[in-house]
Amino acid sequence: MAGLEGIEQPRRHGSATAARWSPAVEDEHALKALELFGNPTDAEVPLPSRPESAAIARRLTQVVVLRHWGLSPKLTEDAVLLTSELVGNAVRHTGARVFGLRMMRRRGWIRIEVRDPSRGLPCLMPVQELDLSGRGLFLVDKLSDRWGVDLLPRGKTTWFEMRVADR
């Protein structure tokens, strides 16, 4: 998965939810990322096109979706994963020096966008069970409700949307 190479995944003990986040757990790194890089709900946050930016994007997504928007840990986990996949593609395939991260919420939906200066379109490839890479857009396609690419005069925005329950 994009941005997660070399990171040991949590071991699951007993239940499938053992590694899920709890809204009660403080994430100081996520709050620090918000403070340092800005809030992607206010304006596009520019991030350097380096592998370590995937961790920053994950933290920003976590703090916005879980804390600011008050959405479920499961939805947050999925949004964080999909954001990481889009960021990984922007870092790995575009040759950009910087990419932009933006998050929006409207009635019944959240939308997360990654903008980069490449006009090369991402391609959804068939995935085999034993494939070690190439699953990014497959995951975006399976876990989001909608996703797409908007071509811009200089680059593109790749985005996904997920339905949310409004209170």
Side-chain angles (χ1 to χ4, degrees):
M1 292 182 276
L4 296 178
E5 294 84 2
I7 296 176
E8 184 176 342
Q9 297 301 307
R11 295 192 194 336
R12 295 181 187 244
H13 300 287
S15 79
T17 59
R20 296 195 196 279
W21 294 313
S22 166
V25 174
E26 293 291 331
D27 185 345
E28 294 302 321
H29 294 293
L31 294 172
K32 190 68 166 173
L34 192 66
E35 183 181 312
L36 289 173
F37 295 96
N39 189 332
T41 65
D42 294 337
E44 182 178 282
V45 172
L47 295 170
S49 190
R50 295 192 306 250
E52 53 270 22
S53 289
I56 296 164
R58 286 191 298 271
R59 289 176 177 136
L60 290 171
T61 303
Q62 178 186 350
V63 75
V64 166
V65 176
L66 188 62
R67 290 175 162 268
H68 290 198
W69 292 341
L71 299 174
S72 74
K74 172 61 174 136
L75 185 95
T76 301
E77 181 179 24
D78 289 349
V80 166
L81 173 63
L82 300 186
T83 300
S84 186
E85 296 298 342
L86 293 188
V87 167
N89 284 347
V91 169
R92 202 175 285 117
H93 301 297
T94 67
R97 291 189 311 176
V98 174
F99 66 89
L101 177 66
R102 181 101 167 104
M103 299 177 197
M104 293 159 273
R105 182 172 183 187
R106 67 181 193 280
R107 186 171 183 83
W109 293 90
I110 64 167
R111 179 180 175 113
I112 298 179
E113 301 177 345
V114 173
R115 187 187 54 79
D116 65 69
S118 169
R119 289 182 53 89
L121 296 175
C123 184
L124 180 60
M125 302 293 288
V127 175
Q128 302 300 318
E129 190 174 328
L130 297 177
D131 288 347
L132 297 175
S133 65
R135 295 178 181 267
L137 283 180
F138 174 80
L139 290 170
V140 172
D141 188 59
K142 292 299 177 199
L143 296 176
S144 70
D145 291 292
R146 300 190 283 230
W147 72 276
V149 180
D150 298 331
L151 284 175
L152 306 170
R154 291 195 173 131
K156 69 178 173 300
T157 299
T158 307
W159 54 268
F160 68 87
E161 294 180 335
M162 300 173 86
R163 284 190 175 96
V164 298
D166 286 316
R167 294 177 223 166

